[in-house]
Each structure stands twice: as C-alpha cells, then as structure tokens.
Amino acid sequence: VPKAIAESESGAFLFNSYLPNSDLYFDNNIFYVDTPDFPTLKFKISTRTGFTINSVVMTNNTFVNMLANGGDGGYFKNGVLINSITANNNLFYVPAMTRNNYVFMNGLEDASATTLNNVCYTNDNAYDFYMFGANSSTPAGAQRNITELSASPFSSMDHTNGVFVKTAAAAAYGAKR
C-alpha cells in the first residue's frame, strides 16, 4: 500500500459498513504498509453496533506493519459481534507497537472459535499482541495468545513490490506465495 494512502485517517484497509449475517473470508493474502504510522488505522473491520457478522475465516494471511492503534487496538472493532471465528496459520509482523493490539476485541462472548498456529513478531517491546481483547471472554476452543517469534520472520522485505521472504522458522505461517 503506498505510504500516502497509509497516512490517511481512513487507513490502509478499513471496512466500516452494514454487515449483518455476513461471512468474511481472508485467505492467503499479504496486507502491508511501508512503515508503522501509529495515529493511523491500518486494518479495521467495524459495523453498526448491535449487528452480528455470521462468520470470519482468516487463514494463511501475512500482516506487515498493520496495526489498529487509533481509537482502539483491534482489527475487528470493539462491539462487532461475530458468531463463528476461524483464525489459523496467520503471521503478524508488528515490531513497533505503541499500545496493546488485538485481532478481535470485545463482544465475542457467545462466539465459537478455532484459532491455531498464529504467530507474531513484536520485537520484544513492552506491549502485547493478542488474538482476543483483554476485556473479552475468550470463545470456547480458542487461544487468547498468539505465539510470539523471538526473531524477525523475514530474511528480506521489499515493500515496493510486496515481496516478503520468510525465514525457515516462519515458513509454515502466513501467505503461501
């Protein structure tokens, strides 16, 4: 995503709409911005309060410098109700967080979820990156934590062309390209 777009208040990937009973699928994608820009939203799904998304499926995705630091710290916004969540084999590269971040925030108490083999790289900073928000009950069958990698998952990063070469230790996670 070009830096100019990432610097706008809308963020690089923002979906804010009427989503009742929707099924959202994210499979084998690479979402990235050039550098983290903390006041700006990078990846955000939100909907009108009180509406429910039927399911969210996230498998084999790579997120590079994609944060949700403005307003709240969740990719799926506080108050978005989701009936079913599947999040497997995703890779999150978030080395410069300025606050805790979550993939799914509050409002998930009644959800069913399967979360397996998700990893993140935070560069050992003082902030936490979790699958589910701190104030949310973790759905049955889900993990709250995302396994943290001790070293960068990339041996090279080309933001111009969107090419991120993974290390051998990270090869099993994220987009398969």
Side-chain angles (χ1 to χ4, degrees), residues 50-118:
F51 289 109
T52 301
I53 296 172
N54 186 50
S55 67
V56 172
V57 178
M58 297 174 60
T59 54
N60 300 319
N61 296 290
T62 299
F63 298 85
V64 177
N65 294 329
M66 300 296 284
L67 297 170
N69 277 341
D72 53 53
Y75 288 18
F76 289 80
K77 186 177 179 286
N78 196 10
V80 175
L81 304 176
I82 304 169
N83 287 330
S84 174
I85 297 166
T86 302
N88 297 330
N89 299 316
N90 297 292
L91 168 62
F92 300 91
Y93 178 85
V94 288
M97 293 187 300
T98 58
R99 60 179 288 182
N100 294 338
N101 257 242
Y102 313 95
V103 178
F104 299 98
M105 290 196 71
N106 301 344
L108 303 166
E109 289 80 1
D110 298 325
S112 65
T114 303
T115 61
L116 298 170
N117 302 320
N118 297 288

Side-chain angles (χ1 to χ4, degrees), residues 91-93 119-121 149 151-156 165-171:
L91 168 62
F92 300 91
Y93 178 85
V119 296
C120 67
Y121 176 68
L149 300 172
S152 175
F154 301 111
S155 58
S156 68
V165 179
K166 290 182 277 185
T167 63

